[in-house]
Amino acid sequence: MKTDMKKILFSLVLVALSVVSGCNRLTNDQDGGVKELPRIAIAGLAIESSTFSPALTHEEAFHARVADEVFSFYPFLSPDSINRRRANWIPTIRGHALPGGIVTREAYESLVMKTLDLLRENGPYDGLFFDIHGAMSVVGLDDPEGDFIVRIREVIGKKTLISTSMDLHGNVSWRLAQNTDLITCYRMAPHEDALESKKRAVDNMLSRLESGKGKPAFKAWIPVPILLPGEKTSTRIEPGKSLYAKVAPAANQEGIIDAAIWIGYAWADEPRNHAVVMVTGDNKEIVTSTAENLAKSFWEVRSDFKFVAPTASLEESLNMAIASDKHPFIISDMGDNPTAGGAGDVTWTLTEILARPEFKSENGPSLIYASIPGPEFVEKAIEAGVGGKVEAYAGAAIDHRFAPPIKLSGTVEAIEHGDKHAETEVVVRVGSVHIIVTKKRKPYHHETDFTRLGLDLRETDIVVVKIGYLVPELYNMRADWIMALTPGGVDQDLERLDYERINRPMFPFDQDMKDPDLKAQLVPTSDE
Ligand SMILES: [Zn+2]
């Protein structure tokens, strides 16, 4: 009794001290004793980069956040959150870039070395939250995320529990599967559950550490020979909807920690680019049968994936939009979608639009074009000022395979400074077309992206955006919508791309392929 009282008093003092000092190093365990909180590092780089685009991604594009800044990515790790108090968190570096072209080797090495240096300084670790996208391409290096996790293991050792969180458009190589312990990905596309998925990766890690169960006994991995674009695999429509609806119930079974289906990334040409199913848990039978069921379900519906909205050539799309009485009529300019990995500066679509007679006069149908990067044009527009006349070239500095830089001659309607991605944005009117020209490339996804430039989408006849499927804000305001199969680094017509290194046979490229072996392969645990 006396010792118990002492123990309780001692632990109270320690907890009080840790609260006062803010270091949260100690906690009460269930017996009233005191134990150290797990030490968990955070690291990761997120980008999807197209190897079919001539663009290169440099280190600045990752906007790397360091040490405590990393917490700002995760509201579920805010200072007053429960999860923040469940561990001693040691964030290193987390970088998140807009999708783009292949990452330079220098950028990759620099970010990896900085991460490894910080990991070396602050070890040892009980856990590591590896927060990646999974579709990074790096010059001269296959499977960068697999390379990164191996190099992390070399620093932190094999005992640390690594929990990996990914985008469902990422790729899971055998090497990545082996070196991680827990792994999960989003279950929704568009990714409305991104934060929820990251939190699940963290929650699963914390509970495995707190319960002492540690690494899962079994990790089942099944490569599914399917490669499809995101624009065909939204979980809002069938068959993606029903397929992904099977994931949560699968993961919630006794004996399972998590279950996940990766669509994979279609615009890189490596053997790892294909769909994958993974299930982790402690019950071998349930882990393998669950993985096999999910893989089989995916394979069975492979031919049912269709574009999430009607598609057409640009010419047909413009004809429909001009003839329609539904406004705004939104056209997705898909081939150069910067949020899938396009360079964002392809001028082909804009060139075609400005060549149409309908838009030559100010009284033609109003059209907003978002967007084209053109730093020199922006400079000239600033010199001319709002209301002034400007004539200069824009676009095609990086991806000029389909059309050269375009000469825009018109009236400056708006100039805005300070956007994180674009830096400076200009609206220039040419005929009845309002063109957004940016200093640096920027995706236009929100209504405020337009209203801050004085553009009213709802009062415009036609809106052409470099995007694939519409993000919710644009989707909800569309009167009609078509996805134009335009050229670019993320051409949605995958059969136009020259794959050389993906595994074959692969659906849909090899239509007559036999049913593949979808038996679960058990990945060795990371400490084997
Ligand atoms: Zn994605």
Side-chain angles (χ1 to χ4, degrees):
M1 184 73 187
K2 216 173 169 190
T3 13
D4 273 2
M5 274 306 284
K6 258 189 188 165
K7 222 169 150 187
I8 289 165
L9 271 172
F10 179 65
S11 64
L12 278 173
V13 167
L14 281 174
V15 168
L17 275 173
S18 72
V19 166
V20 168
S21 67
C23 69
N24 290 341
R25 278 184 50 80
L26 301 160
T27 186
N28 280 337
D29 68 16
Q30 284 149 346
D31 316 319
V34 171
K35 67 173 181 191
E36 292 223 6
L37 287 173
R39 295 172 50 77
I40 303 179
I42 306 174
L45 297 172
I47 184 171
E48 49 190 323
S49 31
S50 169
T51 59
F52 294 105
S53 156
L56 285 173
T57 298
H58 301 279
E59 185 168 350
E60 317 80 76
F62 283 89
H63 299 281
R65 298 185 201 173
V66 185
D68 280 359
E69 290 177 316
V70 172
F71 287 120
S72 59
F73 281 115
Y74 313 113
F76 56 85
L77 287 177
S78 64
D80 53 353
S81 66
I82 293 168
N83 278 344
R84 184 73 168 266
R85 281 180 253 132
R86 287 167 76 183
N88 284 315
W89 297 95
I90 304 113
T92 61
I93 285 182
R94 171 121 201 301
H96 186 120
L98 283 179
I102 191 165
V103 178
T104 67
R105 191 64 177 262
E106 294 72 27
Y108 173 76
E109 288 299 330
S110 168
L111 289 162
V112 168
M113 293 309 286
K114 285 176 190 166
T115 304
L116 298 181
D117 284 346
L118 286 168
L119 283 173
R120 233 175 254 117
E121 272 171 32
N122 297 299
Y125 308 97
D126 302 293
L128 184 140
F129 173 38
F130 192 43
D131 185 16
I132 58 176
H133 179 292
M136 173 159 56
S137 300
V138 173
V139 176
L141 179 72
D142 269 12
D143 185 25
E145 287 84 356
D147 175 77
F148 194 9
I149 197 171
V150 165
R151 289 165 73 179
I152 286 175
R153 279 284 181 210
E154 284 164 8
V155 170
I156 67 172
K158 292 183 168 183
K159 283 198 175 134
T160 305
L161 188 78
I162 299 185
S163 184
T164 301
S165 162
M166 296 175 69
D167 187 303
L168 61 83
H169 298 117
N171 308 294
V172 189
S173 66
W174 177 266
R175 178 165 69 158
L176 175 59
Q178 184 181 353
N179 284 283
T180 194
D181 299 296
L182 306 174
I183 189 162
T184 194
C185 69
Y186 308 155
R187 296 168 179 173
M188 295 172 85
H191 307 316
E192 293 159 77
D193 66 333
L195 276 175
E196 187 187 323
S197 301
K198 291 170 197 282
K199 181 174 184 296
R200 185 170 62 248
V202 164
D203 287 345
N204 285 342
M205 173 170 54
L206 284 167
S207 67
R208 296 297 289 194
L209 289 171
E210 287 166 353
S211 66
K213 288 181 182 167
K215 297 177 191 271
F218 302 101
K219 292 181 286 188
W221 180 84
I222 307 179
V224 185
I226 296 176
L227 192 58
L228 293 169
E231 278 64 17
K232 284 188 178 174
T233 48
S234 166
T235 61
R236 286 187 178 169
I237 58 166
E238 296 300 350
K241 191 175 176 183
S242 296
L243 177 64
Y244 272 85
K246 294 175 197 281
V247 175
N252 292 339
Q253 297 170 95
E254 190 70 35
I256 302 277
I257 300 168
D258 200 82
I261 301 174
W262 285 261
I263 295 291
Y265 182 64
W267 294 282
D269 189 14
E270 279 189 44
R272 71 171 188 169
N273 294 94
H274 52 75
V276 162
V277 167
M278 269 194 85
V279 177
T280 50
D282 296 324
N283 182 314
K284 185 176 176 183
E285 212 289 303
I286 299 177
V287 166
T288 52
S289 64
T290 299
E292 286 169 4
N293 284 336
L294 290 175
K296 187 164 160 274
S297 303
F298 195 170
W299 182 250
E300 280 171 353
V301 297
R302 67 191 179 284
S303 302
D304 301 339
F305 290 97
K306 301 282 183 301
F307 280 112
V308 296
T311 56
S313 69
L314 179 67
E315 193 189 355
E316 290 163 345
S317 303
L318 288 170
N319 289 345
M320 287 163 67
I322 291 165
S324 176
D325 52 7
K326 292 182 187 160
H327 304 296
F329 193 115
I330 301 184
I331 299 175
S332 294
D333 178 7
M334 291 200 292
D336 190 34
N337 175 9
T339 45
D345 78 339
V346 173
T347 54
W348 184 87
T349 303
L350 184 57
T351 306
E352 297 288 311
I353 291 170
L354 293 181
R356 297 275 302 223
E358 294 91 338
F359 304 116
K360 299 253 185 213
S361 110
E362 294 214 352
N363 305 321
S366 57
L367 186 149
I368 292 173
Y369 187 78
S371 60
I372 196 84
E376 284 164 37
F377 184 94
V378 166
E379 236 168 77
K380 289 256 172 73
I382 293 169
E383 279 170 30
V386 173
K389 298 275 181 216
V390 62
E391 181 175 286
Y393 284 90
I398 296 160
D399 197 344
H400 44 71
R401 296 172 297 170
F402 312 100
I406 185 169
K407 192 201 249 179
L408 300 175
S409 180
T411 309
V412 179
E413 291 190 319
I415 300 170
E416 282 294 325
H417 299 283
D419 181 77
K420 179 184 163 194
H421 295 295
E423 291 183 9
T424 302
E425 301 158 277
V426 164
V427 178
V428 58
R429 178 170 182 152
V430 181
S432 65
V433 180
H434 308 261
I435 304 154
I436 301 174
V437 186
T438 58
K439 187 173 170 200
K440 293 188 174 171
R441 81 196 174 105
K442 167 185 167 65
Y444 284 78
H445 284 185
H446 302 289
E447 191 166 10
T448 52
D449 291 335
F450 296 88
T451 49
R452 57 193 286 278
L453 298 172
L455 297 170
D456 185 351
L457 296 181
R458 294 168 195 271
E459 291 299 315
T460 301
D461 296 325
I462 305 168
V463 179
V464 183
V465 193
K466 289 189 178 187
I467 198 169
Y469 49 63
L470 295 183
V471 294
E473 259 183 66
L474 297 181
Y475 183 82
N476 292 335
M477 78 166 69
R478 89 215 178 282
D480 205 345
W481 171 35
I482 191 145
M483 305 204 299
L485 289 163
T486 51
V490 288
D491 197 323
Q492 295 289 325
D493 190 352
L494 297 187
E495 313 207 7
R496 286 200 292 224
L497 302 175
D498 298 317
Y499 292 103
E500 286 172 1
R501 299 185 56 223
I502 57 168
N503 295 334
R504 302 300 282 261
M506 180 77 71
F507 182 87
F509 308 103
D510 304 294
Q511 285 280 347
D512 301 326
M513 64 187 286
K514 285 190 301 189
D515 284 343
D517 178 7
L518 296 176
K519 210 169 152 7
Q521 304 178 40
L522 288 172
V523 186
T525 60
S526 58
D527 49 3
E528 258 174 47

